[in-house]
Amino acid sequence: MTVKTLTLHGRRIRLHEHVPPAGAGDEAIVLLHGIAGSAETWAPVLERCAALGRRVPAPDLPGHGASEAPRADYGLGAMASTVRDVPAVSGVRHATVVGHSLGGGIALQFAYQFPEMCDRLVLVGSAGLGREVSPVLRAAALPGAPATMALAVNRVTLTLTRATARLGRRLGGSLKPETRELVRHFGSLADPARRRAFLFIARSLIDLRGQRASAVDKLYLAEAVPMLLVWGARDPLIPVAHGHRTAALLPDSRLTVLENVKHFPHVAAPDRFCALLNEFVTGTAPARLTLDDVVTRLTDAATPQL
């Protein structure tokens, strides 16, 4: 795996990437992390990428990880454009897009904006498929959320948390992989710029009643795109019911629910996840849609009912 920094539109984007020794052609598997996360969440997958035989880029999305966090647009459309640009500068023209949580919502937006580039979709505990969401995320819409978050998650509290964790390890304790991942996500919010990006994204997509952004009404446009849904049966942030409803709307999609797994299937069960991903990529033909295909679907959907 390589780690490098790209400059896109004058801003830094950190990229973790697996490139097979024999070359990767123009098709890739792009890994998109969730809100407050980074490409590091995909480390267990990148370590197991050899069997996939493709270029596998995993960017830190703008405002996340080691990428720049400017005062900018962090909407789904802007993020989807970044997802197009990052692999494109490496010669990639077609991609299977794997999105976790917020990354799933971005993957769906990517498929909508750039259908000619989207070969397949893999949605992992994905946002954008239903209203229900954890109260913790809905709380970001409260008026006092910025001040409360700054008091709760800052460099002082992060230092204390890490010291407590070190003490726990010395005493023989350990955190489960998913718990460590969740702590790392929230720990990133100690940085003011990343906290600002988190609040912008959360408030643009979520209100006190739940998720506002939804791809459900546009899923018919992705009927020709092979889709794999992976969910943890015990996901406390985005309920597995969203996966079941989406699979019912798209009968040709595949849904796998992992028992005893919460919101990070790729972290909790990386071997199982990579096996599912490899089977899906090798066992399905890429969509390779054209703009004409999309126009036909839009036109058919817009035809008045008599």
Side-chain angles (χ1 to χ4, degrees):
M1 182 184 74
T2 62
V3 180
K4 58 186 178 183
T5 299
L6 305 177
T7 300
L8 289 174
H9 315 301
R11 292 169 180 162
R12 298 187 310 277
I13 297 290
R14 181 62 63 89
L15 178 67
H16 298 237
E17 188 172 31
H18 166 82
V19 180
D26 69 348
E27 183 181 345
I29 299 173
V30 181
L31 306 177
L32 305 178
H33 61 76
I35 192 167
S38 72
E40 290 185 13
T41 193
W42 296 110
V45 177
L46 288 167
E47 291 169 0
R48 295 164 171 80
C49 275
L52 300 177
R54 288 172 171 81
R55 180 187 296 271
V56 186
D60 286 352
L61 294 167
H64 295 75
S67 289
E68 199 166 341
R71 289 185 177 274
D73 181 5
Y74 292 103
L76 291 180
M79 292 287 199
S81 294
T82 297
V83 173
R84 175 201 60 190
D85 295 345
V86 168
V89 298
S90 299
V92 172
R93 298 295 177 263
H94 305 283
T96 294
V97 187
V98 182
H100 170 246
S101 197
L102 169 69
I106 296 169
L108 287 162
Q109 183 69 25
F110 177 88
Y112 178 64
Q113 289 182 206
F114 309 109
E116 71 284 357
M117 290 185 69
C118 187
D119 282 353
R120 305 172 187 83
L121 283 171
V122 181
L123 306 178
V124 187
S126 178
L129 295 173
R131 180 173 292 278
E132 301 87 358
V133 71
S134 165
V136 173
L137 293 175
R138 292 203 305 271
L142 291 169
T148 301
M149 190 174 294
L151 288 172
V153 188
N154 53 60
R155 288 183 171 85
V156 174
T157 59
L158 186 59
T159 299
L160 291 173
T161 299
R162 287 171 174 167
T164 302
R166 284 195 297 270
L167 178 60
R169 286 195 296 271
R170 290 194 190 105
L171 296 175
S174 63
L175 297 177
K176 293 183 178 179
E178 284 197 276
T179 303
R180 286 199 304 271
E181 192 62 31
L182 187 61
V183 169
R184 183 163 63 182
H185 274 58
F186 280 102
S188 73
L189 302 180
D191 178 81
R194 278 146 188 78
R195 188 164 61 243
R196 183 176 64 238
F198 169 87
L199 287 166
F200 181 101
I201 295 166
R203 289 181 161 189
S204 68
L205 302 178
I206 301 170
D207 60 23
L208 292 176
R209 293 184 297 173
Q211 294 188 81
R212 288 186 296 166
S214 174
V216 173
D217 59 342
K218 299 182 183 70
L219 283 176
Y220 71 93
L221 294 172
E223 285 177 341
V225 179
M227 183 182 297
L228 171 65
L229 303 156
V230 182
W231 234 278
R234 299 169 57 200
D235 193 329
L237 297 181
I238 303 177
V240 67
H242 293 194
H244 288 293
R245 285 203 297 263
T246 303
L249 288 170
L250 296 173
D252 291 334
S253 64
R254 307 181 186 186
L255 170 64
T256 297
V257 178
L258 301 181
E259 299 299 326
N260 300 315
V261 171
K262 296 182 181 178
H263 190 57
F264 299 92
H266 54 292
V267 173
D271 288 329
R272 175 69 171 136
F273 181 84
C274 288
L276 286 169
L277 180 57
N278 188 39
E279 178 186 1
F280 175 66
V281 170
T282 58
T284 55
R288 300 295 163 90
L289 298 178
T290 66
L291 182 58
D292 288 340
D293 295 326
V294 177
V295 169
T296 298
R297 290 179 177 274
L298 284 169
T299 303
D300 290 346
T303 302
Q305 299 297 313
L306 300 178

